[in-house]
Amino acid sequence: MNFKEKVNSIVTTIKHSILGMPNYAVSIDIKFEKLFFEDHYYLYPNVTSSDFSTISNLTEDQINEYTHLKYGLDFNQLCDQYRVKRFMEKVNSSVSDNLTIGTLVKGSGFSSAQDLQTALKTYGI
């Protein structure tokens, strides 16, 4: 590690300590945000932190710790929360006028209407 990298590491550690943020390498943020949100990984039915670990090259422990600290949810809860959000966006969109509920459920990443119903109850919608 060269001098500049060492100083940046120390500054990052201090910032995270002061702000109460976890001391993650930026690459975890970048990997997670890209795969989960930009690539809409949560829309794949039945995904697990193990699956996500394989494609992200992060350990399951890193993923679970990251989601708990950053979002206050475990990986599956975060997936369901964003699936519910996606479902509600689709239902409220005029594009969905000609789609069946089953199509909307599947297109939102849920395996079944029952899974959607459970998530809707969990998130108070």
Side-chain angles (χ1 to χ4, degrees), residues 104-115:
L104 295 172
V105 168
K106 297 283 185 189
S108 299
F110 290 103
S111 298
S112 67
Q114 185 176 0
D115 289 343

Side-chain angles (χ1 to χ4, degrees), residues 3 15 25 29 35 38 50 52 66 83 90 99 101 123:
F3 180 74
K15 266 199 253 183
D29 267 333
L35 292 169
E38 290 178 33
S50 176
F52 194 77
Y66 178 82
R83 288 174 179 157
K90 294 235 180 241
L99 300 175
I101 292 293
Y123 297 103

Side-chain angles (χ1 to χ4, degrees), residues 36-37 42 77-86:
F36 193 86
F37 295 110
Y42 59 90
Q77 291 170 326
L78 187 63
C79 287
D80 280 348
Q81 185 178 52
Y82 276 85
R83 288 174 179 157
V84 166
K85 181 179 176 184
R86 177 70 163 235

